[in-house]
């Protein structure tokens, strides 16, 4: 199991156990983390699964693909640490990952 912590805009923390092979978005949905809407179900066509990767984790997680970057144009308040959580696959190296949920989604 890979531990992933979601932190809401108001500071509420959700510590979850993610399954390898799932995505960070699927982990949020399975654990009823508020603020991850995921309208398109992970097809990278909605940008409502937007998260900010914690500073400590940006390098390990890496940046978005070109397709994801195009979709991020539709998200609110995009920052350099922005990612679409449906495009981040859970793997062992991400054990302890912290992501921040924006105050609102597109
Ligand atoms: S769930 Fe729609 S882009 Fe991630």
């Amino acid at each position: 199991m890979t531990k992933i912590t979601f932190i809401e805009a108001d500071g509420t923390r959700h510590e979850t156990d993610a399954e390898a092979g799932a995505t960070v978005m699927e982990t949020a949905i399975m654990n009823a983390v508020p603020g991850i809407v995921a309208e398109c179900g992970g097809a990278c066509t909605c940008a409502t699964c937007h998260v900010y990767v914690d500073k400590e984790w940006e390098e390990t997680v890496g940046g978005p693909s070109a397709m994801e970057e195009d979709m991020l144009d539709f998200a609110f308040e995009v920052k350099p640490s922005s990612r679409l959580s449906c495009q981040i696959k859970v793997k062992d190296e991400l054990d302890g990952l912290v992501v921040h949920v924006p105050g609102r989604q597109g």
Side-chain angles (χ1 to χ4, degrees), residues 84-99:
L84 295 178
S85 58
C86 70
Q87 301 302 303
I88 307 172
K89 278 257 188 246
V90 174
K91 48 189 175 180
D92 291 349
E93 301 93 280
L94 297 186
D95 188 28
L97 174 66
V98 177
V99 296

Side-chain angles (χ1 to χ4, degrees), residues 25 36-50 71 84-87:
M25 175 279 276
I36 303 291
V37 181
E39 251 166 37
C40 78
C44 198
T45 57
C46 75
T48 62
C49 63
H50 179 206
M71 208 56 230
L84 295 178
S85 58
C86 70
Q87 301 302 303

